[in-house]
Amino acid sequence: MRTSTDQELPGRDRLAPLEAFLERSPTVAAAIVEADGAIVSTNPTFVRLAGSPATLEDAVAEGQYNLVAQLLDTAGRDWGSASAGLRTADGHRLDCEFSVRAESGGVLVVVESLQAPADRLNDHLLELNNELIGARRELAVRNRKLRELDELKNMFLASASHDLKTPMSSIVGYAELLGESDLGEAEVAMVAAIERSARRVVSMIEDLLGAALVMTGELRLLRREQSVAVIVRESVGMIEPVAAAGGLTVELTCPDHALAEVDESRIMQILDNLLSNAVKYSPAGGKIEVTCIDGAQEVAISVSDSGIGISKEDQSKLFGRFFRASTAREHGIAGTGLGLANARAFAEAHGGHLDCTSAEGAGSTFKLSLPKTVGHA
Ligand SMILES: Nc1ncnc2c1ncn2[C@@H]1O[C@H](COP(=O)(O)OP(=O)(O)OP(=O)(O)O)[C@@H](O)[C@H]1O
Ligand SMILES: [Mg+2]
């Protein structure tokens, strides 16, 4: 391309491949323009169409204005910016930003900005690189501190929950015994309230302990072959009085036996949470259906309710620790949001799955699948 000034344009040699293309193009009018609008280089088509203006401003001034304006006007408002990565002769990559528009008579290309000269660019890159190294170092220090804090939190969770569980269990036991003794009506109600609250605390402690074990990777399963059907019946048997008190019916479809190698206490914990959720999140008059299917390689248990349901958005967060849907909070229903996170972790530790299908206001179904043998996990 023809250069209109004697001064050497910084980085000019890097545009060589683009210039070579433009030089030969009969349909592309091109000008390389510096930041202040000075035209430093034009191709023959540009000269043919626009003459030899010194600046872009001159090009659109009287005389050449019509010509350039004509091109711009017919270009309409479709000017889009584009970029091209060109490989220079010395192997460097040069990114050019330019405006481009398909024209009936061709394409007008104006290179809008020339990159800074290579050495300035290198200095800048070097500076950025140093900043990056500093930031990474700082990040590494913060990461280490966070890891230490995380370990501390897990240790605290595990030991505090463990130490709390023993005294709480004795409170539950003695409240149970007291309830069976000869008490007046008011005392019976008080002892029952103590027992209920203490059981709730024990179950929260168990959830915290379970979460701590999952987080520290210390969850160990005690698996032995047993009837999942029997575990399901027992769990359903325990929730039935609570469901009845909430005006809900429970329907169970289950084979006599469905043998699988599982950790009974963890499966109980999963089912207790699914069933207590079904009760907690269903208004009176609803129905809870529990189905156990004994498959060839897995046992599938589903718990369906006719409750408040879960929105699509919340379904994606459901199995996160401490997540509680806004509907649960709005309805004033108690919970810590650990139950489902633990339940899924326990199911996956068995090589199984726990999934949910639901729609807001239209009930929910939770399906737990467990491989029958460790080999099938
Ligand atoms: N059957 C259900 N119907 C509607 N919402 C549900 C159901 N099961 C769970 N959810 C929603 O998912 C959230 C997480 O459930 P999760 O069992 O983990 O916690 P939680 O029941 O609130 O507390 P907890 O830790 O005592 O179990 C609930 O707070 C509720 O918003
Ligand atoms: Mg729950």
Side-chain angles (χ1 to χ4, degrees):
M1 279 170 75
R2 195 165 64 81
T3 305
S4 64
T5 59
D6 288 331
Q7 112 221 20
E8 206 32 61
L9 192 67
R12 168 84 198 281
D13 54 336
R14 297 179 165 228
L15 286 174
L18 178 64
E19 287 183 354
F21 161 71
L22 294 172
E23 187 67 42
R24 286 194 301 272
S25 173
T27 53
V28 177
I32 295 178
V33 184
E34 273 193 313
D36 62 3
I39 295 178
V40 290
S41 178
T42 53
N43 76 343
T45 310
F46 187 95
V47 176
R48 184 163 52 79
L49 296 174
S52 304
T55 65
L56 200 57
E57 219 173 56
D58 292 342
V60 294
E62 282 244 342
Q64 285 99 18
Y65 175 82
N66 287 341
L67 177 64
V68 177
Q70 193 188 341
L71 273 173
L72 294 174
D73 283 345
T74 48
R77 297 204 179 93
D78 292 344
W79 282 73
S81 78
S83 54
L86 299 171
R87 186 70 56 191
T88 61
D90 57 359
H92 285 90
R93 195 188 142 84
L94 179 70
D95 291 318
C96 298
E97 287 282 328
F98 53 88
S99 300
V100 61
R101 151 102 172 99
E103 260 291 327
S104 49
V107 179
L108 176 69
V109 177
V110 178
V111 176
E112 289 185 322
S113 63
L114 274 175
Q115 299 290 353
D119 49 351
R120 262 199 279 145
L121 207 63
N122 281 344
D123 285 351
H124 189 51
L125 279 177
L126 222 64
E127 246 172 61
L128 282 178
N129 202 28
N130 284 340
E131 272 176 36
L132 202 67
I133 291 172
R136 280 172 103 170
R137 239 181 244 137
E138 203 176 312
L139 206 64
V141 173
R142 282 185 195 203
N143 262 344
R144 206 187 48 239
K145 280 195 182 145
L146 275 176
R147 259 200 312 276
E148 283 167 8
L149 271 176
D150 200 45
E151 269 168 33
L152 206 67
K153 176 202 75 188
N154 288 338
M155 273 164 56
F156 170 77
L157 257 181
S159 70
S161 329
H162 192 265
D163 293 348
L164 280 170
K165 207 175 149 185
T166 320
M168 281 315 298
S169 302
S170 83
I171 294 176
V172 172
Y174 284 123
E176 229 172 45
L177 277 178
L178 253 180
E180 287 162 15
S181 61
D182 199 11
L183 295 174
E185 206 176 303
E187 287 79 12
V188 168
M190 283 189 248
V191 171
I194 293 174
E195 193 187 327
R196 257 198 324 276
S197 302
R199 279 193 193 283
R200 168 92 195 113
V201 177
V202 169
S203 122
M204 278 168 66
I205 292 170
E206 264 163 9
D207 280 351
L208 282 171
L209 204 54
L213 290 176
V214 172
M215 283 190 274
T216 51
E218 283 170 28
L219 178 71
R220 303 277 174 268
L221 298 180
L222 293 168
R223 296 175 82 155
R224 63 181 183 85
E225 190 177 65
Q226 54 207 306
S227 171
V228 175
V230 169
I231 303 174
V232 172
R233 285 177 192 286
E234 204 176 316
S235 299
V236 170
M238 285 197 300
I239 204 72
E240 257 164 352
V242 189
L248 299 161
T249 53
V250 185
E251 204 176 283
L252 172 66
T253 313
C254 188
D256 287 341
H257 286 287
L259 295 178
E261 287 175 40
V262 294
D263 181 326
E264 182 176 355
S265 69
R266 297 301 177 197
I267 302 300
M268 278 275 210
Q269 262 179 290
I270 299 176
L271 293 175
D272 285 352
N273 183 55
L274 296 184
L275 291 166
S276 75
N277 282 353
V279 170
K280 278 200 295 190
Y281 302 110
S282 298
K287 186 161 117 183
I288 296 164
E289 289 177 277
V290 184
T291 314
C292 177
I293 296 170
D294 188 14
Q297 300 198 332
E298 61 172 35
V299 178
I301 304 148
S302 59
V303 178
S304 297
D305 63 57
S306 52
I308 58 175
I310 304 153
S311 69
K312 270 269 162 296
E313 198 199 335
D314 284 345
Q315 281 175 45
S316 59
K317 305 175 197 152
L318 210 54
F319 296 93
R321 280 184 203 107
F322 298 109
F323 175 77
R324 305 207 66 221
S326 51
T327 41
R329 282 177 271 123
E330 279 157 20
H331 284 76
I333 305 167
T336 39
L338 274 176
L340 284 178
N342 281 349
R344 178 174 267 181
F346 296 164
E348 288 175 353
H350 279 82
H353 305 280
L354 176 62
D355 296 298
C356 164
T357 47
S358 180
E360 208 164 355
S364 312
T365 297
F366 286 84
K367 185 177 167 198
L368 168 69
S369 320
L370 297 166
K372 297 184 91 165
T373 60
V374 178
H376 280 136

